[in-house]
Amino acid sequence: MLNLVIFGPPGSGKGTQAAHIKEKYGLLHLSTGEMLRHEIASKTALGLEVESLVVSGQLVPDELVTEVLKKALAEKMSQGNGFIFDGFPRNGEQAQILEDALNSLNLDINIAINLTASDTELIKRILLRGETSGRADDNEIVIKERLEIYRKNVSDLISFYQKLGKLNEVDGEGTPQEVFERITKLIDKHI
Ligand code: ADP
């Protein structure tokens, strides 16, 4: 089993890279952002509860997003060669929740990838994505809010995985292919 966490600011390309990693290494991709958008589009009770938060770029309370993540984890446990967690954890508390949930299943995170990019590049990418993504949170005002919330929480996430000796920083600028090559080099060193 290979279990990866990929985190990075909005627009850093986590989703794109996670899809490539999933393909190459036969992993299951668990994106809490996608799960929440799906709940919202399906108008479930949870979706209705979180919609205004997601649309305005705020974080969804830990209990709610944990519930969604654990459900997906339990459903997909026996498939694939491991998981790639994208968008969860997003703060120190969530990192501990994920660690405990995996440990109780006798699993562990092998590698945590911190994908980086400058704010100028991020804003440019998200505005471009907003033209086609249909995501209500891909607009200039909400992007700034999302970046600010991200920067506030990321230091706890970094120190959490640093202490476990699992943290790896990858430069997220350049073409998606270039970034993917950096990531595969890193993963291949571990397997
Ligand atoms: P991005 O990283 O580009 O902001 P995501 O698709 O990962 O996009 O997340 C979109 C939104 O979903 C977040 O702004 C937040 O409202 C909500 N969300 C996703 N994952 C989490 C999480 N782990 N904790 C709290 N809220 C989350």
Side-chain angles (χ1 to χ4, degrees):
M1 284 282 254
L2 173 69
N3 295 309
L4 307 177
V5 158
I6 185 162
F7 64 91
S12 57
K14 296 181 303 276
T16 307
Q17 296 302 328
H20 288 314
I21 298 168
K22 163 192 158 150
E23 189 74 18
K24 182 168 163 97
Y25 299 96
L27 304 182
L28 293 162
H29 179 193
L30 296 187
S31 158
T32 44
E34 265 174 34
M35 291 176 209
L36 293 170
R37 283 190 288 279
H38 179 74
E39 297 277 339
I40 293 169
S42 314
K43 300 199 186 304
T44 62
L46 182 109
L48 294 172
E49 195 172 345
V50 303
E51 183 167 14
S52 62
L53 293 170
V54 172
V55 167
S56 62
Q58 307 298 312
L59 291 190
V60 168
D62 289 350
E63 314 82 75
L64 296 181
V65 70
T66 300
E67 182 188 317
V68 174
L69 179 89
K70 285 192 173 167
K71 202 172 91 189
L73 198 58
E75 272 168 16
K76 299 190 172 166
M77 234 329 261
S78 52
Q79 312 161 14
N81 301 327
F83 292 103
I84 170 147
F85 297 94
D86 158 13
F88 191 104
R90 248 182 167 80
N91 57 37
E93 290 76 23
Q94 292 185 5
Q96 190 61 56
I97 290 169
L98 181 62
E99 195 67 11
D100 295 344
L102 289 177
N103 291 349
S104 72
L105 298 167
N106 276 327
L107 300 174
D108 209 0
I109 291 296
N110 305 96
I111 311 171
I113 299 172
N114 174 16
L115 202 56
T116 62
S118 69
D119 280 9
T120 327
E121 175 68 16
L122 296 170
I123 291 170
K124 198 178 83 191
R125 287 185 190 175
I126 302 175
L127 288 179
L128 195 70
R129 179 172 82 184
E131 288 172 14
T132 53
S133 70
R135 276 179 56 170
D137 58 349
D138 280 348
N139 66 69
E140 195 149 11
I141 297 165
V142 178
I143 296 168
K144 297 220 165 106
E145 180 74 14
R146 282 158 64 201
L147 276 173
E148 205 169 299
I149 294 175
Y150 178 81
R151 303 274 183 228
K152 202 176 86 203
N153 287 308
V154 73
S155 46
D156 284 349
L157 215 49
I158 289 176
S159 48
F160 186 92
Y161 288 110
Q162 214 156 28
K163 274 189 207 136
L164 295 176
K166 293 177 179 169
L167 185 74
N168 293 273
E169 192 175 301
V170 172
D171 177 5
E173 297 206 18
T175 66
Q177 193 51 39
E178 281 165 351
V179 178
F180 185 53
E181 277 165 25
R182 292 176 199 138
I183 293 177
T184 52
K185 259 192 209 147
L186 179 73
I187 298 177
D188 292 344
K189 260 197 328 212
H190 279 79
I191 56 176

